[in-house]
Amino acid sequence: MTPSQVSFRLDIDEVKFLDDIHTVGNPARRAFFKGLQATDNELRQQIINLMRAGSPTAIADCQQRIERLLNDISI
C-alpha cells in the first residue's frame, strides 16, 4: 500500500503521516518500513513456493532476482 493508502486506512492525517515517514528516526517511518519488509518477505516466500511447484514465471523471476543480487556484489 502507498503511504496515502496507509494513512487513509489508519484514519490519520495524510500530510502529517507523509512528513513522519520522510523523517529519519521517526517511529512512523520505522513502522512503515517494517511493514514493507514483512510484505516483501511474504512475497518472496510465495515466489519461492511457486518456483518449487514448477511455475515457469516464478522460476524466471527467481533467476532474475539471483542475477541482480550477483551483479550487486562487488569483489
Side-chain angles (χ1 to χ4, degrees):
M1 290 184 359
T2 67
S4 296
Q5 291 170 326
V6 171
S7 67
F8 178 78
R9 185 165 187 174
L10 296 175
D11 195 28
I12 58 177
D13 181 74
E14 181 179 352
V15 174
K16 170 103 172 80
F17 182 68
L18 291 171
D19 286 343
D20 288 349
I21 65 170
H22 286 99
T23 303
V24 176
N26 189 296
R29 180 181 174 90
R30 291 185 49 81
F32 183 75
F33 280 106
K34 281 184 179 182
L36 283 178
Q37 179 184 8
T39 300
D40 184 57
N41 288 341
E42 185 179 325
L43 289 172
R44 287 175 193 246
Q45 188 59 54
Q46 288 176 3
I47 290 169
I48 290 170
N49 291 341
L50 288 170
M51 180 202 62
R52 289 182 178 150
S55 165
T57 305
I59 291 169
D61 184 62
C62 285
Q63 288 172 332
Q64 289 172 355
R65 288 173 184 262
I66 290 169
E67 288 173 9
R68 280 194 305 259
L69 289 171
L70 292 174
N71 288 333
D72 287 344
I73 296 174
S74 299
I75 297 178

